[in-house]
């Protein structure tokens, strides 16, 4: 009885929304690689949305690693409203050692160097959220004007992935689609995300620098 009443209520609510022509607000974790982002494969640069399970992608810590899963999530559709805090950030070429402009999701982790922060191995690396990149000169939020999708490439372990000629984006081994930045299951991440306000202060005060390690594959293909 309770289930029947609940189902009827859901149907009635859906019908009411259709009749009122309201667009629901899109729900997204705000992470993942925006479609069109380029990654390095053994055959050269390829867009993340052209990858298949089993393909190999160049990582910062472990060389080429095999993709174990690919998940896609809408960033914007014509049937939904995209809140401004979920708009991707445009990052100009050169801002993150990227040779090409880059769109970064607001909750997507980006690797930078910082002498003020140490990772679990004692190295001067820090992961900042994409939203903090808006303080970089030439960066700004982009209001999607066409359907846009995020692709979440998954590997057996957490990895940092080279994109668009040299920037590094975080890929979690288990990507919790509806649980925000952190995965819902699995071991703790190898990298910890710096809070957005802290990250913005670090960027504004010059406390971070771009990761400049470039494998020969990137130098040859970028």
């Amino acid at each position: 009885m309770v289930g029947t009443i609940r189902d009827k209520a859901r149907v009635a609510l859906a019908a009411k929304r259709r009749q009122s022509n309201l667009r629901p607000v899109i729900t997204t974790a705000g992470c993942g690689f925006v479609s069109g982002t380029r990654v390095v494969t053994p055959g050269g640069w390829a867009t993340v949305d052209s990858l298949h399970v089993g393909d190999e992608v160049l990582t910062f810590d472990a060389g080429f690693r095999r993709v174990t899963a690919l998940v896609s999530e809408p960033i914007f559709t014509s049937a939904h409203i995209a809140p401004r805090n979920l708009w991707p950030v445009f990052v100009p070429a050169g801002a993150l050692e990227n040779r090409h402009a880059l769109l970064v999701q607001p909750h997507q982790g980006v690797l930078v160097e910082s002498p003020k922060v140490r990772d679990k191995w004692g190295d001067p690396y820090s992961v900042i959220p994409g939203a903090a990149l808006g303080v970089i000169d030439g960066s700004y939020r982009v209001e999607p004007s066409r359907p846009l999708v995020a692709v979440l490439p998954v590997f057996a372990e957490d990895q940092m992935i080279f994109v668009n000629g040299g920037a590094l984006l975080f890929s979690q081994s288990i990507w919790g689609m509806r649980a925000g930045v952190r995965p819902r299951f699995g071991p703790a991440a190898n990298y910890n995300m710096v809070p957005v306000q802290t990250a913005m202060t670090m960027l504004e005060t010059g406390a971070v620098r771009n990761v400049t390690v470039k494998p020969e594959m990137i130098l040859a293909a970028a």
Side-chain angles (χ1 to χ4, degrees), residues 4 51 64 157 164 200:
T4 301
L51 294 176
F64 284 102
E157 299 176 340
N164 284 33
M200 292 171 69

Side-chain angles (χ1 to χ4, degrees), residues 5-77:
I5 294 174
R6 185 183 295 114
D7 291 341
K8 288 182 178 179
R10 288 174 177 169
V11 171
L13 178 59
K16 184 177 180 180
R17 284 178 173 171
R18 287 195 298 271
Q19 291 171 1
S20 61
N21 198 31
L22 289 176
R23 291 189 299 161
V25 174
I26 196 166
T27 56
T28 172
C31 54
F33 299 8
V34 178
S35 56
T37 300
R38 300 195 301 165
V39 299
V40 184
T41 70
W45 289 94
T47 60
V48 68
D49 34 311
S50 70
L51 294 176
H52 298 86
V53 172
D55 287 348
E56 291 187 333
V57 173
L58 186 62
T59 71
F60 178 61
D61 296 305
F64 284 102
R65 281 293 180 265
R66 196 174 304 277
V67 175
T68 59
L70 287 163
V71 183
S72 62
E73 182 176 70
I75 297 174
F76 173 76
T77 73

